[in-house]
Amino acid sequence: MLTTLKTSYTDTRAADLAWALGREPLPALAVLDLELADAQVQLRLLGASHQVLLEQDQGSCSETVACIPGSSTPLPLGVAKRMGDWEYEFAARVETLSPGSFAGRAQELLALVSDHPNGLAGVFPGSPHAFTAMLVQRHEGQVHWRTWHAYPQEGQLVATRTRVGVRLPAPA
């Protein structure tokens, strides 16, 4: 699903993004509710980036990547945590692209996510390449999502990957 977000472009630098687990739902500009087997997932586009809410019988998870006023947790390159019976893994990377490469990558990602039944993308007013996009899938009992946050004025694209699921037994 592709939508134009009705707000100003507030998180204008990749360096301003912060990461948080366990936050309450924040006001969203666009929401996509999905049921993936026994998992309820809500993808939320915020004026300041994204939030994913996951509910399963084993528990719940809330991930926020956004410009959070007063947050002291910058965007980490990677996180691995145990949350009860779950494992949570998060990874982020920042790509710096030339203007031509950035425009092409932005169009490619928006097409991928907007045409996917488990995808949500929002374009900010003022630039067709200023967007946040999210895509979620369930694979082998685990929920995976990817997000992209585009900063055309800097030529930067922030990509994140998350995996949440029941801890898998160690191989014998």
Side-chain angles (χ1 to χ4, degrees), residues 28-49:
L29 301 171
V31 173
L32 179 62
D33 289 305
L34 297 165
E35 192 156 330
L36 304 174
D38 64 342
Q40 286 75 45
V41 181
Q42 187 176 74
L43 303 179
R44 303 170 61 81
L45 293 178
L46 313 175
S49 280

Side-chain angles (χ1 to χ4, degrees), residues 2-164:
L2 178 63
T3 185
T4 299
L5 301 173
K6 294 173 180 33
T7 187
S8 61
Y9 189 46
T10 56
D11 62 335
T12 56
R13 293 179 15 175
D16 291 340
L17 284 175
W19 166 87
L21 273 180
R23 290 184 77 97
E24 292 297 315
L26 297 170
L29 301 171
V31 173
L32 179 62
D33 289 305
L34 297 165
E35 192 156 330
L36 304 174
D38 64 342
Q40 286 75 45
V41 181
Q42 187 176 74
L43 303 179
R44 303 170 61 81
L45 293 178
L46 313 175
S49 280
H50 89 258
Q51 190 171 48
V52 177
L53 306 178
L54 170 64
E55 282 285 334
Q56 282 186 286
D57 291 340
Q58 299 90 342
S60 62
C61 176
S62 165
E63 174 189 278
T64 306
V65 172
C67 296
I68 304 168
S71 175
S72 60
T73 307
L75 190 64
L77 294 178
V79 174
K81 288 183 77 118
R82 285 188 170 178
M83 301 179 338
D85 291 337
W86 281 2
E87 288 181 341
Y88 170 90
E89 290 181 7
F90 172 87
R93 67 185 165 86
V94 179
E95 293 178 63
T96 301
L97 303 165
S98 70
S101 295
F102 188 92
R105 184 81 172 122
Q107 289 173 335
E108 175 185 288
L109 288 169
L110 286 171
L112 168 77
V113 174
S114 62
D115 290 342
H116 197 286
N118 297 344
L120 176 62
V123 177
F124 289 89
S127 171
H129 302 132
F131 68 90
T132 298
M134 310 166 71
L135 184 62
V136 64
Q137 296 178 317
R138 185 165 176 85
H139 180 67
E140 295 181 356
Q142 299 184 330
V143 180
H144 302 254
W145 59 86
R146 296 185 65 190
T147 72
W148 298 271
H149 305 263
Y151 300 91
Q153 71 284 3
E154 294 184 312
Q156 290 189 320
L157 185 67
V158 178
T160 73
R161 282 181 188 264
T162 302
R163 180 185 64 81
V164 178

